[in-house]
Amino acid sequence: MAASPSTARAINDRLALGFLQREGPLTAGQLKTLTGLSRPTVADLVERLQGAGLVRVVGEADDRRRGPNARLYGIAGDRAHLAALDVRTHSVSVVVADLLGATLAEATLPIGSDTATEAAVEQAVALLERTARTVGAVPLHSVGIGAPGLVDPATGELRDTAGLPAWHRRLVAALQERLPATLLVENETNLAALAEQRLGAARGQDTFVLLWLGHGVGAAVVLDGRLRRGASGGAGEIGFLPVPGTPRLPSAVSCDGGFHTLVGSVAVGELAERYGVSAIPAAQEPPSAALVRAAVAEVTAVSGPGAGEVLAQGGRGAHAGAFLDVLADRLAIGTAAVSAVLDPGRIVLAGELGHAGGEVLARRVEDRLAAMSPLRTEVRAGVLGGAAVLRGALLTAREAAQDALFAPEA
């Protein structure tokens, strides 16, 4: 059955907008080539999209060829404004962007553990409102929020989770009350996986597991192109995984004794102290990331001529290498469990620690995993570090806004 004229127009408009999203500004001739539509049809859809405020002329393809055929059409970035929030245990970070995802402003605010719930909520909401207002990005259309803990897959709400501040859950409700925007809440590790898949170490991968290594530890599971959240939203709570090498088992209310006890930031700090590795972390950075980065730098510095003699004499590079070896042993325990159950083909060591370890740490983990499992699993270092959560939240907000704005009129 042939599509009605209105349906055909909507399909053509979405097709053109899709190419403008992926390719950037295009001429009418380029749109004709890419879409396969006739020249009059392309002219009509460009006029419609301009009239809707979604597309505008942003330049010319060739200064030597003036006229309508040289005009470059692009998506109007200021048609809507977006925001992304990365909600951590002791801080909140904000990015405000246009419809294309271009950053307009960003800010971070530490929130002390002794801050009362309502005061913490007010500080976080005020930070978002202030940041958006300074660049004229009001009202906001869509806001992506990444937070630790469980997000109910049925309702999209952040659930109460033991060990996390009460202001996290209250923040979502406060934003709903204060902002006339679409709110999209997702577990922080899941958002990091989305960002690494689109922009980083998992690009082009339909099946992989992202292991988040920051202050805490978590995982995101992507199978056959789909993010898997589990029945209760808890898929990837790998910090609770019972593992050897810990003095006790984790409980329903605490991951102490689980995989977290081996590779959480505190555990990595204690391990580094044992091997004489020290470093000063940057602001808001997990101390473990600075320690791993320092160890990698020492190992790399002695990897040239004479490295064998330095290591044999037990220099700093030897201690740093031993620290990374033991850390890789610990990481291999968790990644081996993931590999045996899911066979993901690739595991990304993400978060601040994974990024700091780079390929030096990733290769160590991959070697140990190959010795422990018959399943071939690549291990790669995350590219985006701690910024992955904000990038993923912004991608989510952008897609939601574009889906709403680019939808055909009823």
Side-chain angles (χ1 to χ4, degrees), residues 263-355:
V263 297
S265 188
V266 172
V268 174
E270 293 171 349
L271 182 66
E273 184 178 7
R274 188 186 312 167
Y275 286 93
V277 177
S278 61
I280 299 176
Q284 306 301 321
E285 178 186 48
S288 58
L291 293 166
V292 170
R293 185 167 55 248
V296 168
E298 289 185 17
V299 169
T300 303
V302 298
S303 61
E309 182 178 351
V310 172
L311 296 175
Q313 293 175 355
R316 287 185 59 83
H319 295 302
F323 161 66
L324 292 174
D325 286 340
V326 176
L327 178 57
D329 290 340
R330 293 182 175 188
L331 288 168
I333 294 173
T335 56
V338 167
S339 179
V341 174
L342 298 175
D343 187 20
R346 178 174 296 187
I347 293 176
V348 177
L349 304 182
E352 294 91 348
L353 188 154
H355 180 64

Side-chain angles (χ1 to χ4, degrees), residues 199-279:
L199 309 168
R203 186 176 297 182
Q205 297 293 123
D206 287 334
T207 296
F208 70 97
V209 168
L210 179 137
L211 184 61
W212 180 266
L213 301 167
H215 287 288
V217 56
V221 179
V222 177
L223 300 177
D224 301 323
R226 292 182 58 193
L227 181 67
R228 308 292 177 162
R229 296 177 175 83
S232 63
E237 288 294 327
I238 197 172
F240 286 86
L241 179 72
V243 293
T246 58
R248 60 184 180 278
L249 292 173
S251 70
V253 297
S254 174
C255 57
D256 290 341
F259 187 49
H260 172 85
T261 302
L262 291 183
V263 297
S265 188
V266 172
V268 174
E270 293 171 349
L271 182 66
E273 184 178 7
R274 188 186 312 167
Y275 286 93
V277 177
S278 61

Side-chain angles (χ1 to χ4, degrees), residues 6 84 90 109 157 281 318 344 369-370:
S6 61
H90 301 300
L109 178 71
E157 295 180 350
L369 190 54

